[in-house]
Amino acid sequence: MNRIRQWASTPSPEYEPIEHPADANNEDQQSISSQNQPVPGFSRFEYGVFLLLGVSMLWAWNMFLAAAPYFHRRFESNDWAATHYQSSILTVSTITNLGSVFILARLQKGASYPKRINISILINIAVFTLLAFSTVIAKHVSVSTYFGFLLVMVFGASLATGINQNGVFAYVSGFGREEYTQAIMAGQGVAGVLPCIVQILSVLAVPEKKGDDQPEIPQESSKSAFFYFITSAAVSFSALVAFLALAKRRSHHYPAPDLFADQADDCTSDHSPSKTISLWVLFKKLRLMALAVFLCFAITMIFPVFTAEIESVHDPSDRSRMFEPPVFVPLAFFFWNVGDLIGRISVIIPQLSLAHRPLALFLLAIGRVVFIPLYLVCNIRGRGAAVESDFFYLFIVQLLFGVSNGYLGSSCMMGAGHWVSEDEREPTGGFMGLMLVGGLTAGSLLSFFVSSA
C-alpha cells in the first residue's frame, strides 16, 4: 500500500521549489512553475486566437464526418467500397494521427512550434480545397480512383491534425496561462456543436413525403459536401490569419528574424528548445494526469457506437420527425457535444476546476465507465429500453457523459504545466497531446468490440 501511495502522489519532492519544501502527498502544494515564475498578463486577443485554433483543429474533421452520406452514395455501386470505406478511413486516420504525434513529441530539440502550426494549417487548407472541388470536377471518376483519392486526403488531413495538435498544445504551454489551453479545448467543443445543428436543419428543411417517393437526402448531395469542405478550408484559413497576427504581436516582445525559420521563432520565448526531454521522464512527472486524459478519451470513444444505434422510445407509428432516426441520431450527438462544450467552459471558473488535483482527475476518469451500462439500458437498435425515457437518454446519459469528457479533458490539459519547470512546458504540451490522441486511438479500437457485443 505504501508503494501505491508513493506512485500516486503528485509530484515527487525533486520537482518542488527549494525555497518552499512541501509534502509530496499534498495535492494542495504549488509547483515550481506557479511559485517561482511570474504569470504573464491575460489577453482577450490571445484567448480568442487560441479559441479559433481549437475550432479549426476539429472543425475540418467534423465536416468530414458530416459528409459520410455523400461518400456512401459515391461508393454504393461497389459493395466492397461501400462496406469498408468507413473502416478504411478510421484505420488510415488513427494510424497517421498517432504516428505523427508520437514522432513530433520526440523531436523536441530545436523544434519550431509556430512553424509546425503554420504547416499543418496550410496542409489542411490544401486537402479540403481539393476535396471541395472533387465534388464538382470528379463526379464521374471510377469508384476505385475516388476511393484511393479519398484515402490520400484522409492521410493528409490526419497528418495535418497530428502536426497541429503537437504544435498548438506545445506552443500554448509556453505562454504560462492555463486559460489559453482552456480556450483551445473550448474551441474544439464549439467545432462539435455546430455541425450537429447543420445536420439536423438539413434534414428538417426537406418536406416529409409518404410512400415510396422519398426525397433526396440532403447530406448525400454534392452541393452539401462542397459546402462542408470549402467551409473547412475557410475556417482553417481564418485560423492561419489569426495565428500570424498573434505571432507578429508576440514578436514585438520577443523578436524573431523569420517566423518560418527553424531557430528562434517560438514567439513565447527568445529561444527554441535546446534539449530533448524523454517521454518517459515526462510520464513519471505527470503520470496521473497523463493516464487520466488517456482514459478519459479512450472511454469517450464508446459513445459514437451507441449513439448511432440508439433509437427513440416513442412508438414508431406515432412520433414526430424529431424522433425519427435521421433527426434523432444527430440530436443525440448534439446533446453530447453541448455537454462537452459546457464541461470545457466550466473549468475556466477556478472554484470548479480540479486542474491542480491529479489524483481526483484520475479517479474521475476511471469512474466514467459507469456510463457504459447506462447506454446498455437504452433503446439500442429498437429492441427496447430498460428505462423508457428519451429524457433519460438525452439529458442524463448523453449530456452528462459529454460534460464529464469536456471537464476532465480540459482540466488535465490545463493543469499539466503546473508540475514541470518552465523549460519543460512546451514538451509537456506535446506529450499531453500524445496521450490524448493515444486515448482516442485505443478507444477507437476498443469500440469495435463494444459494437459487436
Side-chain angles (χ1 to χ4, degrees), residues 12 23 43 52 64 76 86 114 118 120 159 199 216 228 249 252 254 287 308 344 356 414:
S12 59
D23 183 3
S43 167
L52 182 56
F64 199 95
E76 63 184 356
Q86 286 183 317
N118 288 321
S120 68
L159 179 64
Q199 286 184 287
E216 178 186 8
Y228 294 151
R249 173 189 173 106
H252 290 311
Y254 304 99
R287 49 191 175 270
R344 291 169 187 255
H356 302 159
M414 289 171 61

Side-chain angles (χ1 to χ4, degrees), residues 118-422:
N118 288 321
I119 291 174
S120 68
I121 298 177
L122 289 172
I123 294 174
N124 229 25
I125 293 173
V127 165
F128 284 93
T129 299
L130 287 173
L131 281 168
F133 284 99
S134 73
T135 65
V136 178
I137 63 177
K139 287 184 176 181
H140 305 296
V141 301
S142 66
V143 170
S144 59
T145 300
Y146 192 77
F147 189 85
F149 167 78
L150 178 60
L151 291 186
V152 172
M153 294 298 100
V154 170
F155 172 81
S158 302
L159 179 64
T161 300
I163 298 172
N164 190 263
Q165 287 173 325
N166 173 268
V168 171
F169 282 120
Y171 183 73
V172 73
S173 297
F175 280 70
R177 293 211 64 104
E178 60 186 32
E179 298 97 332
Y180 295 165
T181 302
Q182 184 273 334
I184 297 172
M185 302 298 288
Q188 292 178 342
V190 172
V193 171
L194 295 182
C196 296
I197 298 176
V198 172
Q199 286 184 287
I200 294 171
L201 294 179
S202 65
V203 175
L204 294 178
V206 179
E208 185 178 19
K209 294 184 179 181
K210 302 297 184 180
D212 297 331
D213 186 17
Q214 294 296 328
E216 178 186 8
I217 299 176
Q219 296 99 318
E220 294 183 358
S221 70
S222 58
K223 292 182 180 179
S224 294
F226 179 86
F227 172 78
Y228 294 151
F229 297 142
I230 205 67
T231 302
S232 300
V235 170
S236 296
F237 180 77
S238 300
L240 178 62
V241 172
F243 179 70
L244 291 174
L246 172 62
K248 183 177 180 180
R249 173 189 173 106
R250 296 292 292 179
S251 68
H252 290 311
H253 301 283
Y254 304 99
D258 182 0
L259 178 63
F260 289 89
D262 289 331
Q263 300 295 330
D265 58 352
D266 187 342
C267 299
T268 64
S269 63
D270 58 359
H271 63 279
S272 294
S274 59
K275 65 177 182 179
T276 298
I277 303 173
S278 166
L279 297 181
W280 177 245
V281 171
L282 290 174
F283 176 78
K284 289 193 293 183
K285 292 188 177 186
L286 302 165
R287 49 191 175 270
L288 290 180
M289 280 194 165
L291 290 174
V293 76
F294 179 90
L295 291 173
C296 173
F297 286 95
I299 295 173
T300 288
M301 289 308 292
I302 68 163
F303 101 90
V305 176
F306 288 116
T307 303
E309 296 182 343
I310 292 178
E311 301 177 10
S312 169
V313 297
H314 285 70
D315 186 352
S317 62
D318 185 27
R319 62 188 180 192
S320 66
R321 291 191 72 189
M322 286 296 295
F323 298 102
E324 293 291 337
V327 178
F328 189 73
V329 171
L331 180 65
F333 277 106
F334 172 76
F335 270 86
W336 190 93
N337 281 290
V338 167
D340 180 58
L341 180 58
I342 292 173
R344 291 169 187 255
I345 293 176
S346 66
V347 294
I348 200 67
I349 303 174
Q351 293 82 357
L352 299 179
S353 176
L354 291 176
H356 302 159
R357 294 184 174 272
L359 181 58
L361 293 174
F362 177 69
L363 295 176
L364 285 174
I366 296 176
R368 295 181 75 235
V369 297
V370 302
F371 282 95
I372 297 178
L374 293 182
Y375 276 108
L376 293 175
V377 300
C378 295
N379 189 22
I380 301 176
R381 305 186 191 97
R383 67 189 183 193
V387 181
E388 295 187 359
S389 169
D390 288 335
F391 177 87
F392 170 79
Y393 169 57
L394 295 176
F395 285 87
I396 305 301
V397 182
Q398 289 288 79
L399 188 69
L400 292 185
F401 194 40
V403 169
S404 66
N405 179 77
Y407 179 83
L408 279 171
S410 298
S411 297
C412 292
M413 299 302 292
M414 289 171 61
H418 282 259
W419 307 106
V420 297
S421 59
E422 185 179 18

Side-chain angles (χ1 to χ4, degrees), residues 2-65:
N2 289 334
R3 291 194 176 192
I4 295 176
R5 292 192 188 98
Q6 183 179 5
W7 178 84
S9 62
T10 60
S12 59
E14 60 181 298
Y15 309 124
E16 297 166 1
I18 299 176
E19 309 90 84
H20 304 280
D23 183 3
N25 293 316
N26 182 8
E27 285 191 337
D28 292 327
Q29 62 182 307
Q30 293 184 332
S31 70
I32 185 171
S33 297
S34 60
Q35 288 190 356
N36 292 346
Q37 303 296 336
V39 178
F42 177 82
S43 167
R44 292 183 180 179
F45 171 77
E46 293 175 350
Y47 183 92
V49 172
F50 284 116
L51 181 71
L52 182 56
L53 285 172
V55 172
S56 68
M57 190 182 294
L58 289 189
W59 180 274
W61 268 109
N62 280 310
M63 288 290 97
F64 199 95
L65 296 175

